[in-house]
Amino acid sequence: MHLPLFYIATSLFALATAQQRANPFTLPPGFMITAGEPTTISWDPTTQGTVSIRLRQGASSNLEEGIVIASNIDNSGRATITLPEDTTRNSDYALQIISDENPTTDVNYSSPFVVESENTVEPISTPASSEAVTNTTGSTTTMSTRTADD
């Protein structure tokens, strides 16, 4: 019973904090994005010039760097964005809006939202398999690395 109250209180606090910062998002409750499809986002433009939008993922206290999905766009309060089709389905995404004129202080974030996608598995980057090879001839030792392609 206390868990829903916690989420409501946290969301209200995040919303109140975001409204005090530059260019607060004005996304509807239940906002979600489908990867590969155009989506219109909106915010209250409080700074001059252009802005950039990044897609970030993770816990709100530790968001990954993410990817730029729009850069140097007019700060009109509205933009249509399209996430890459291979974006992984998850519920811990946020949009970041950055004033291009003052990127260190005029920054804001959306509330967490869901990205709907056919891709349900995070990409795994695996290094090429390698094997250390040591050759000793007389008093000389040579160490090299042999990969699976060798």
Side-chain angles (χ1 to χ4, degrees):
M1 290 296 254
H2 296 295
L3 196 53
L5 181 59
F6 170 77
Y7 284 119
I8 292 170
T10 318
S11 295
L12 289 174
F13 175 75
L15 180 62
T17 303
Q19 293 293 331
Q20 296 171 7
R21 300 181 76 182
N23 302 313
F25 283 98
T26 56
L27 304 175
F31 175 78
M32 64 176 275
I33 297 177
T34 300
E37 294 184 11
T39 302
T40 300
I41 59 172
S42 58
W43 63 92
D44 181 17
T46 61
T47 61
Q48 300 296 314
T50 61
V51 294
S52 294
I53 310 286
R54 292 184 80 88
L55 176 67
R56 305 206 39 191
Q57 182 181 15
S60 60
S61 60
N62 190 25
L63 289 170
E64 294 176 8
E65 193 60 29
I67 60 169
V68 175
I69 53 177
S71 61
N72 299 308
I73 59 174
D74 288 333
N75 191 7
S76 65
R78 190 175 190 87
T80 298
I81 59 171
T82 302
L83 302 185
E85 287 185 12
D86 63 349
T87 303
T88 305
R89 180 187 313 174
N90 214 320
S91 61
D92 63 348
Y93 285 97
L95 293 173
Q96 178 185 29
I97 188 166
I98 306 128
S99 168
D100 294 322
E101 290 183 10
N102 199 358
T104 56
T105 57
D106 290 340
V107 176
N108 209 340
Y109 299 86
S110 70
S111 296
F113 62 88
V114 172
V115 168
E116 193 59 44
S117 175
E118 297 291 319
N119 184 13
T120 59
V121 180
E122 293 279 341
I124 299 174
S125 59
T126 56
S129 63
S130 63
E131 173 184 63
V133 178
T134 306
N135 294 323
T136 305
T137 309
S139 62
T140 305
T141 301
T142 305
M143 183 167 269
S144 62
T145 303
R146 181 173 51 210
T147 64
D149 298 326
D150 290 346

